[in-house]
Amino acid sequence: MDHADLDATIDRLADIVPIDELLLRRLKKRRLALRDEVERLERLTDPREPA
């Protein structure tokens, strides 16, 4: 599941009553982990400081 899919799923779940809080928290945590991984990979492929 990629970042955009997680965003869409989180948005849909937030509109459902009752909200599955545990699932929503897990998805948000996964979204943050994906965001961190993308940032880490970007730093590896494009270092800001000269080597």
Side-chain angles (χ1 to χ4, degrees):
M1 190 178 287
D2 68 1
H3 192 266
D5 289 338
L6 277 174
D7 280 340
T9 301
I10 290 168
D11 289 342
R12 280 193 309 272
L13 280 174
D15 293 336
I16 296 174
V17 176
I19 297 171
D20 186 344
E21 293 290 336
L22 182 59
L23 179 58
L24 195 56
R25 253 183 292 163
R26 287 178 177 166
L27 290 172
K28 286 181 178 182
K29 187 174 182 177
R30 178 70 182 136
R31 178 176 59 181
L32 288 174
L34 278 172
R35 186 179 300 152
D36 290 345
E37 182 67 11
V38 167
E39 288 176 10
R40 185 186 71 79
L41 291 171
E42 286 175 347
R43 282 194 310 269
L44 285 174
T45 60
D46 188 26
R48 295 182 187 260
E49 297 179 16

